[in-house]
Amino acid sequence: MADVTLKNVSKVYGEDVVAVKDFNLDIRNEEFIVFVGPSGCGKSTTLRMIAGLEDITEGEIYIGDRKVNDVSAKDRDIAMVFQSYALYPHMTIYDNMAFSLKLSKVPKKEIEEKIKKASEILGLNEYLNRKPKNLSGGQRQRVALGRAIVRNPKVFLMDEPLSNLDAKLRVQTRTEITKLHQQLNTTFIYVTHDQTEAMTMGQRVVVMNKGVIQQVDTPQNIYHNPINQFVAGFIGSPRMNMLKGTVSQEGGQYKLAYGQKSMTLASSVGDKLRNKEIESQEVIFGFRPENCRLSKTDTGLFDVSVDQVEMLGSDNFNYVVTECGENIINRSASNEIYQPGDALSLLPDPDSIHIFDVESGEALSFSE
Ligand code: ADP
């Protein structure tokens, strides 16, 4: 059990590949934190620096009170689980789990007890005498987790551990890992490119892009209060609708205009713009598919025609096109059914609109 602290950590490969830039983060003891971002954004490199598998170019890493920059991976009291299970194929499941403990000369009885406890937690008791090839992908990943658990590490590091599993198993194993964290009460640092995994598993989420932390917060806060256009677009599926418009002040209120039409923004959004001293300017505005309504009466910000409809059973996704030819996704209740070709009006919820600076992508509607 330990806090993990990264101070001004950077990693440069070769002369000029900046994989991670000035990374600062305090990970709390027993926290489940997820690093998420697109491929190549520096997640694995950060995790590998914490693990001691990669040198740090600049900065400091602490596990508990100990600075570990120069501590070798095996002495850091961490356990890492990878996408590839990396099990020894010729050994039984028992021996795979016992391997590192035997190397550390842990007494046989103690090894037995640790494996018994871990295999109970993971439901692996009946497979201990099998070889890895005789297990399913999900079971193999559980063995990899078991091998980490028996070492009783201070910190678990997981690098895309679910990527090799099929969709159904991924969902199941996701819940198992969350439960495991609750049972073990140990710090978990988890890397994924999948925003759904980040949202469902993390107590806090670190969104990264191009080697730089964009935002660190709870999944809910990141979803509802993204700090910039990148985070707003990366978190959420289907992604947030984003279009160009103009905001202006009129009689103490803010209006948002798109083409010939305009709407009044809720004061909760307007107040944030006022705090940033926004007068009148071109902006990118965003709203999520569930934060807009289609209607047959002409009351919206957009005249749209329905292009395609996906009925998922629980709800529907309506793909519509504005009069300027831009695409928007609307999410409607399952009994609110539209047909391709329908001409409708679409109104974003005035209190759920995000406003971004056109140049920097910074969210002008972000609340500190
Ligand atoms: P992620 O885990 O987010 O997909 P990585 O941390 O693996 O990203 O990589 C971050 C960046 O560093 C990428 O641009 C990648 O190409 C580069 N990189 C990673 N490992 C090496 C390496 N050993 N040598 C050179 N560049 C590397």
mmCIF file of all heavy atoms in Angstrom, residues 11-14 17-20 36-48 54 159-160 191-193 208 211, ligand 1:
data_model
loop_
_atom_site.group_PDB
_atom_site.id
_atom_site.type_symbol
_atom_site.label_atom_id
_atom_site.label_comp_id
_atom_site.label_asym_id
_atom_site.label_seq_id
_atom_site.Cartn_x
_atom_site.Cartn_y
_atom_site.Cartn_z
ATOM 1 N N LYS A 11 10.136 12.045 -20.392
ATOM 2 C CA LYS A 11 10.874 10.972 -21.042
ATOM 3 C C LYS A 11 11.122 11.339 -22.493
ATOM 4 O O LYS A 11 10.186 11.640 -23.242
ATOM 5 C CB LYS A 11 10.071 9.669 -20.991
ATOM 6 C CG LYS A 11 10.683 8.537 -21.773
ATOM 7 C CD LYS A 11 11.900 7.977 -21.059
ATOM 8 C CE LYS A 11 12.624 6.940 -21.896
ATOM 9 N NZ LYS A 11 13.779 6.386 -21.187
ATOM 10 N N VAL A 12 12.381 11.375 -22.852
ATOM 11 C CA VAL A 12 12.736 11.650 -24.253
ATOM 12 C C VAL A 12 13.475 10.421 -24.771
ATOM 13 O O VAL A 12 14.438 9.972 -24.152
ATOM 14 C CB VAL A 12 13.647 12.898 -24.359
ATOM 15 C CG1 VAL A 12 13.950 13.209 -25.815
ATOM 16 C CG2 VAL A 12 13.001 14.099 -23.672
ATOM 17 N N TYR A 13 12.972 9.855 -25.865
ATOM 18 C CA TYR A 13 13.668 8.737 -26.510
ATOM 19 C C TYR A 13 14.624 9.309 -27.540
ATOM 20 O O TYR A 13 14.223 10.179 -28.332
ATOM 21 C CB TYR A 13 12.688 7.804 -27.214
ATOM 22 C CG TYR A 13 11.864 6.959 -26.275
ATOM 23 C CD1 TYR A 13 10.505 7.216 -26.088
ATOM 24 C CD2 TYR A 13 12.435 5.886 -25.592
ATOM 25 C CE1 TYR A 13 9.739 6.424 -25.244
ATOM 26 C CE2 TYR A 13 11.675 5.094 -24.744
ATOM 27 C CZ TYR A 13 10.329 5.370 -24.577
ATOM 28 O OH TYR A 13 9.576 4.589 -23.741
ATOM 29 N N GLY A 14 15.834 8.814 -27.551
ATOM 30 C CA GLY A 14 16.832 9.281 -28.527
ATOM 31 C C GLY A 14 17.034 10.772 -28.360
ATOM 32 O O GLY A 14 17.096 11.282 -27.237
ATOM 33 N N VAL A 17 12.409 12.406 -29.437
ATOM 34 C CA VAL A 17 11.038 11.884 -29.310
ATOM 35 C C VAL A 17 10.579 12.101 -27.869
ATOM 36 O O VAL A 17 10.976 11.379 -26.958
ATOM 37 C CB VAL A 17 10.945 10.378 -29.673
ATOM 38 C CG1 VAL A 17 9.507 9.883 -29.518
ATOM 39 C CG2 VAL A 17 11.445 10.140 -31.087
ATOM 40 N N VAL A 18 9.771 13.164 -27.677
ATOM 41 C CA VAL A 18 9.297 13.471 -26.323
ATOM 42 C C VAL A 18 8.053 12.629 -26.064
ATOM 43 O O VAL A 18 6.968 12.944 -26.544
ATOM 44 C CB VAL A 18 8.981 14.976 -26.175
ATOM 45 C CG1 VAL A 18 8.543 15.288 -24.748
ATOM 46 C CG2 VAL A 18 10.187 15.809 -26.563
ATOM 47 N N ALA A 19 8.211 11.545 -25.327
ATOM 48 C CA ALA A 19 7.086 10.629 -25.092
ATOM 49 C C ALA A 19 6.227 11.121 -23.930
ATOM 50 O O ALA A 19 5.000 10.963 -23.944
ATOM 51 C CB ALA A 19 7.603 9.229 -24.806
ATOM 52 N N VAL A 20 6.858 11.697 -22.906
ATOM 53 C CA VAL A 20 6.126 12.212 -21.733
ATOM 54 C C VAL A 20 6.759 13.542 -21.347
ATOM 55 O O VAL A 20 7.985 13.661 -21.300
ATOM 56 C CB VAL A 20 6.213 11.232 -20.539
ATOM 57 C CG1 VAL A 20 5.486 11.777 -19.322
ATOM 58 C CG2 VAL A 20 5.665 9.865 -20.909
ATOM 59 N N VAL A 36 -5.611 7.345 -19.488
ATOM 60 C CA VAL A 36 -6.290 7.069 -20.753
ATOM 61 C C VAL A 36 -5.899 8.108 -21.799
ATOM 62 O O VAL A 36 -5.625 9.268 -21.464
ATOM 63 C CB VAL A 36 -7.830 7.013 -20.547
ATOM 64 C CG1 VAL A 36 -8.415 8.376 -20.237
ATOM 65 C CG2 VAL A 36 -8.542 6.412 -21.757
ATOM 66 N N GLY A 37 -5.875 7.683 -23.049
ATOM 67 C CA GLY A 37 -5.539 8.594 -24.139
ATOM 68 C C GLY A 37 -5.313 7.770 -25.394
ATOM 69 O O GLY A 37 -5.251 6.541 -25.329
ATOM 70 N N PRO A 38 -5.198 8.440 -26.529
ATOM 71 C CA PRO A 38 -5.027 7.695 -27.778
ATOM 72 C C PRO A 38 -3.670 7.003 -27.832
ATOM 73 O O PRO A 38 -2.769 7.339 -27.061
ATOM 74 C CB PRO A 38 -5.128 8.785 -28.847
ATOM 75 C CG PRO A 38 -4.811 10.057 -28.155
ATOM 76 C CD PRO A 38 -5.206 9.892 -26.733
ATOM 77 N N SER A 39 -3.535 6.082 -28.750
ATOM 78 C CA SER A 39 -2.288 5.352 -28.915
ATOM 79 C C SER A 39 -1.131 6.340 -29.127
ATOM 80 O O SER A 39 -1.273 7.309 -29.864
ATOM 81 C CB SER A 39 -2.460 4.429 -30.118
ATOM 82 O OG SER A 39 -1.270 3.764 -30.340
ATOM 83 N N GLY A 40 -0.020 6.099 -28.429
ATOM 84 C CA GLY A 40 1.160 6.949 -28.615
ATOM 85 C C GLY A 40 1.198 8.186 -27.732
ATOM 86 O O GLY A 40 2.096 9.006 -27.859
ATOM 87 N N CYS A 41 0.236 8.324 -26.795
ATOM 88 C CA CYS A 41 0.188 9.559 -25.990
ATOM 89 C C CYS A 41 1.100 9.492 -24.765
ATOM 90 O O CYS A 41 1.189 10.455 -24.018
ATOM 91 C CB CYS A 41 -1.243 9.884 -25.565
ATOM 92 S SG CYS A 41 -1.873 8.792 -24.282
ATOM 93 N N GLY A 42 1.765 8.357 -24.549
ATOM 94 C CA GLY A 42 2.741 8.278 -23.465
ATOM 95 C C GLY A 42 2.264 7.554 -22.214
ATOM 96 O O GLY A 42 2.952 7.573 -21.189
ATOM 97 N N LYS A 43 1.138 6.868 -22.287
ATOM 98 C CA LYS A 43 0.593 6.163 -21.110
ATOM 99 C C LYS A 43 1.529 5.046 -20.645
ATOM 100 O O LYS A 43 1.897 4.971 -19.488
ATOM 101 C CB LYS A 43 -0.771 5.514 -21.424
ATOM 102 C CG LYS A 43 -1.758 6.372 -22.144
ATOM 103 C CD LYS A 43 -3.033 5.599 -22.447
ATOM 104 C CE LYS A 43 -2.928 4.555 -23.539
ATOM 105 N NZ LYS A 43 -2.767 5.073 -24.897
ATOM 106 N N SER A 44 1.887 4.168 -21.603
ATOM 107 C CA SER A 44 2.710 3.012 -21.231
ATOM 108 C C SER A 44 4.085 3.462 -20.762
ATOM 109 O O SER A 44 4.635 2.894 -19.817
ATOM 110 C CB SER A 44 2.901 2.070 -22.417
ATOM 111 O OG SER A 44 1.696 1.519 -22.769
ATOM 112 N N THR A 45 4.616 4.475 -21.423
ATOM 113 C CA THR A 45 5.942 4.961 -21.026
ATOM 114 C C THR A 45 5.899 5.438 -19.573
ATOM 115 O O THR A 45 6.794 5.131 -18.781
ATOM 116 C CB THR A 45 6.396 6.109 -21.958
ATOM 117 O OG1 THR A 45 6.399 5.606 -23.296
ATOM 118 C CG2 THR A 45 7.766 6.606 -21.606
ATOM 119 N N THR A 46 4.826 6.162 -19.200
ATOM 120 C CA THR A 46 4.699 6.646 -17.819
ATOM 121 C C THR A 46 4.628 5.457 -16.854
ATOM 122 O O THR A 46 5.320 5.424 -15.834
ATOM 123 C CB THR A 46 3.433 7.523 -17.683
ATOM 124 O OG1 THR A 46 3.461 8.512 -18.699
ATOM 125 C CG2 THR A 46 3.366 8.179 -16.325
ATOM 126 N N LEU A 47 3.806 4.467 -17.215
ATOM 127 C CA LEU A 47 3.659 3.297 -16.350
ATOM 128 C C LEU A 47 4.984 2.549 -16.213
ATOM 129 O O LEU A 47 5.363 2.126 -15.120
ATOM 130 C CB LEU A 47 2.592 2.363 -16.955
ATOM 131 C CG LEU A 47 2.017 1.333 -15.994
ATOM 132 C CD1 LEU A 47 1.085 2.025 -15.008
ATOM 133 C CD2 LEU A 47 1.259 0.246 -16.734
ATOM 134 N N ARG A 48 5.688 2.442 -17.336
ATOM 135 C CA ARG A 48 6.961 1.716 -17.316
ATOM 136 C C ARG A 48 8.030 2.464 -16.523
ATOM 137 O O ARG A 48 8.911 1.855 -15.917
ATOM 138 C CB ARG A 48 7.422 1.447 -18.749
ATOM 139 C CG ARG A 48 6.502 0.442 -19.474
ATOM 140 C CD ARG A 48 6.779 0.389 -20.958
ATOM 141 N NE ARG A 48 8.136 -0.042 -21.236
ATOM 142 C CZ ARG A 48 8.542 -1.310 -21.245
ATOM 143 N NH1 ARG A 48 7.655 -2.263 -21.027
ATOM 144 N NH2 ARG A 48 9.789 -1.621 -21.478
ATOM 145 N N GLU A 54 11.862 1.567 -17.488
ATOM 146 C CA GLU A 54 12.278 2.609 -18.420
ATOM 147 C C GLU A 54 12.977 3.692 -17.596
ATOM 148 O O GLU A 54 12.475 4.066 -16.533
ATOM 149 C CB GLU A 54 11.004 3.195 -19.055
ATOM 150 C CG GLU A 54 11.149 3.813 -20.387
ATOM 151 C CD GLU A 54 11.348 2.790 -21.496
ATOM 152 O OE1 GLU A 54 10.388 2.075 -21.847
ATOM 153 O OE2 GLU A 54 12.473 2.740 -22.001
ATOM 154 N N ASP A 159 -1.164 -2.701 -17.717
ATOM 155 C CA ASP A 159 -1.045 -2.073 -19.036
ATOM 156 C C ASP A 159 -1.977 -2.775 -20.015
ATOM 157 O O ASP A 159 -1.670 -3.862 -20.486
ATOM 158 C CB ASP A 159 0.409 -2.159 -19.502
ATOM 159 C CG ASP A 159 0.664 -1.243 -20.695
ATOM 160 O OD1 ASP A 159 -0.302 -0.689 -21.247
ATOM 161 O OD2 ASP A 159 1.836 -1.103 -21.073
ATOM 162 N N GLU A 160 -3.120 -2.174 -20.295
ATOM 163 C CA GLU A 160 -4.115 -2.703 -21.236
ATOM 164 C C GLU A 160 -4.396 -4.183 -20.985
ATOM 165 O O GLU A 160 -4.373 -4.989 -21.930
ATOM 166 C CB GLU A 160 -3.618 -2.534 -22.689
ATOM 167 C CG GLU A 160 -3.267 -1.110 -23.071
ATOM 168 C CD GLU A 160 -4.349 -0.401 -23.856
ATOM 169 O OE1 GLU A 160 -5.440 -0.973 -24.007
ATOM 170 O OE2 GLU A 160 -4.100 0.734 -24.302
ATOM 171 N N VAL A 191 -3.619 1.371 -17.289
ATOM 172 C CA VAL A 191 -3.483 2.077 -18.567
ATOM 173 C C VAL A 191 -4.441 1.505 -19.598
ATOM 174 O O VAL A 191 -4.537 0.285 -19.751
ATOM 175 C CB VAL A 191 -2.031 1.946 -19.084
ATOM 176 C CG1 VAL A 191 -1.958 2.196 -20.582
ATOM 177 C CG2 VAL A 191 -1.103 2.896 -18.350
ATOM 178 N N THR A 192 -5.150 2.365 -20.302
ATOM 179 C CA THR A 192 -6.025 1.910 -21.384
ATOM 180 C C THR A 192 -6.236 3.012 -22.417
ATOM 181 O O THR A 192 -6.135 4.188 -22.094
ATOM 182 C CB THR A 192 -7.397 1.456 -20.831
ATOM 183 O OG1 THR A 192 -8.216 1.028 -21.924
ATOM 184 C CG2 THR A 192 -8.128 2.565 -20.097
ATOM 185 N N HIS A 193 -6.539 2.605 -23.662
ATOM 186 C CA HIS A 193 -6.902 3.604 -24.678
ATOM 187 C C HIS A 193 -8.421 3.698 -24.758
ATOM 188 O O HIS A 193 -8.957 4.485 -25.507
ATOM 189 C CB HIS A 193 -6.332 3.208 -26.047
ATOM 190 C CG HIS A 193 -6.948 1.946 -26.565
ATOM 191 N ND1 HIS A 193 -6.517 0.699 -26.176
ATOM 192 C CD2 HIS A 193 -7.997 1.735 -27.373
ATOM 193 C CE1 HIS A 193 -7.276 -0.209 -26.751
ATOM 194 N NE2 HIS A 193 -8.187 0.377 -27.482
ATOM 195 N N MET A 208 -4.565 11.852 -21.157
ATOM 196 C CA MET A 208 -3.292 12.311 -21.735
ATOM 197 C C MET A 208 -3.420 12.526 -23.231
ATOM 198 O O MET A 208 -4.205 11.850 -23.895
ATOM 199 C CB MET A 208 -2.187 11.271 -21.486
ATOM 200 C CG MET A 208 -1.843 11.071 -20.034
ATOM 201 S SD MET A 208 -0.546 9.825 -19.837
ATOM 202 C CE MET A 208 0.884 10.685 -20.505
ATOM 203 N N GLY A 211 1.832 13.142 -24.817
ATOM 204 C CA GLY A 211 2.785 13.157 -23.713
ATOM 205 C C GLY A 211 2.452 14.101 -22.584
ATOM 206 O O GLY A 211 3.200 14.198 -21.608
HETATM 207 P P1 ADP B 1 0.884 4.751 -25.420
HETATM 208 O O1 ADP B 1 1.130 3.775 -24.333
HETATM 209 O O2 ADP B 1 0.057 5.905 -24.970
HETATM 210 O O3 ADP B 1 0.324 4.126 -26.665
HETATM 211 P P2 ADP B 1 3.765 4.981 -25.502
HETATM 212 O O4 ADP B 1 4.090 5.390 -24.124
HETATM 213 O O5 ADP B 1 3.970 3.536 -25.837
HETATM 214 O O6 ADP B 1 2.276 5.413 -25.854
HETATM 215 O O7 ADP B 1 4.605 5.842 -26.533
HETATM 216 C C1 ADP B 1 4.708 7.249 -26.451
HETATM 217 C C2 ADP B 1 5.589 7.766 -27.580
HETATM 218 O O8 ADP B 1 6.916 7.333 -27.403
HETATM 219 C C3 ADP B 1 5.173 7.290 -28.961
HETATM 220 O O9 ADP B 1 5.381 8.334 -29.866
HETATM 221 C C4 ADP B 1 6.116 6.148 -29.227
HETATM 222 O O10 ADP B 1 6.323 5.992 -30.609
HETATM 223 C C5 ADP B 1 7.368 6.594 -28.520
HETATM 224 N N1 ADP B 1 8.167 5.442 -28.030
HETATM 225 C C6 ADP B 1 7.762 4.488 -27.175
HETATM 226 N N2 ADP B 1 8.747 3.605 -26.926
HETATM 227 C C7 ADP B 1 9.819 4.022 -27.650
HETATM 228 C C8 ADP B 1 11.158 3.547 -27.829
HETATM 229 N N3 ADP B 1 11.609 2.469 -27.172
HETATM 230 N N4 ADP B 1 11.969 4.249 -28.650
HETATM 231 C C9 ADP B 1 11.544 5.355 -29.292
HETATM 232 N N5 ADP B 1 10.302 5.856 -29.166
HETATM 233 C C10 ADP B 1 9.438 5.205 -28.367
#
